[in-house]
Amino acid sequence: MTTRIERDDLRLADIIVTAGEKNVVGSTIRWATNSPVSHAMLYSGGGKVIESVGEGVREVALDTAMEGVVLAVVFRVNNLEDAVAHKVVDFARDQVSGGRRYDYRGLIAQAGYQLDRIFFSEEQARRANLWIQNSDRYFCSELVAASYLNAGRPLSDSPPAAVSPGALHEMGSNGALTYVGHLREPE
């Protein structure tokens, strides 16, 4: 059962995971992670989100980020204090102002990590793939996880480069994050 929410229901540092119209990149991410979502972003307040896309880390209007999106699910970190939410968003915003670029190598490593987890232990998959993570570049869910880690509220025991959009969705499904609702659902 889903709950339909509006932009006014969002709070600072909410996590939004999405799936867009069919395209090669999104479809590949959903396939590799066995997930209904392929992108993640942080709500930064004032109707804006911070996300990492091909052109780099950016802060844009939620409406801009939602162009072409057919599924958008919002999750919230349990018992998140306002001061911590501000730290999360401040870190992400610093990545925008710092001109951080998209982590293509990290995305490829993430895909290998997800596939290797099927055949090997989590630790073996990490060692084989995540060593190439780049600390000054981010793919979408890596940015979200790094922002929370930097604020002292890590989303998981895994390093940010191991957190996929699907992992965030799963955290919402298993109660590690609180499900807030759907901004958009497929018709």
Side-chain angles (χ1 to χ4, degrees), residues 11-84:
R11 289 190 198 156
L12 193 67
D14 276 351
I15 299 166
I16 305 168
V17 293
T18 65
E21 297 169 343
K22 292 195 183 248
N23 64 52
V24 174
V25 174
S27 296
T28 302
I29 292 169
R30 287 191 300 276
W31 174 81
T33 61
N34 192 30
S35 172
V37 296
S38 57
H39 186 60
M41 59 189 100
L42 282 171
Y43 185 68
S44 58
K48 293 184 175 185
V49 295
I50 300 173
E51 62 179 350
S52 186
V53 295
E55 63 233 28
V57 180
R58 67 184 191 166
E59 185 170 23
V60 297
L62 177 62
D63 292 341
T64 299
M66 296 284 284
E67 289 174 5
V69 167
V70 295
L71 173 68
V73 186
V74 179
F75 297 106
R76 188 168 290 149
V77 170
N78 304 321
N79 303 311
L80 185 67
E81 303 85 8
D82 287 343
V84 176

Side-chain angles (χ1 to χ4, degrees), residues 90-167:
D90 288 346
F91 176 84
R93 201 169 271 138
D94 286 347
Q95 307 321 298
V96 174
S97 63
R100 299 293 186 231
R101 296 171 53 190
Y102 190 78
D103 189 4
Y104 288 101
R105 287 187 343 196
L107 181 64
I108 293 166
Q110 168 64 224
Y113 165 75
Q114 293 297 333
L115 292 173
D116 282 354
R117 286 179 54 213
I118 296 168
F119 303 106
F120 306 107
S121 74
E122 177 109 9
E123 185 55 36
Q124 288 171 315
R126 280 185 196 173
R127 280 196 314 262
N129 297 285
L130 300 182
W131 61 271
I132 68 170
Q133 78 180 41
N134 194 330
S135 63
D136 66 341
R137 294 175 183 237
Y138 298 96
F139 56 85
C140 63
S141 50
E142 180 181 25
L143 174 66
V144 170
S147 298
Y148 272 94
L149 178 64
N150 182 270
R153 283 295 299 267
L155 297 175
S156 74
D157 293 335
S158 298
V163 178
S164 68

Side-chain angles (χ1 to χ4, degrees), residues 1 36 135 161 167 179:
M1 181 164 161
S135 63
Y179 167 72

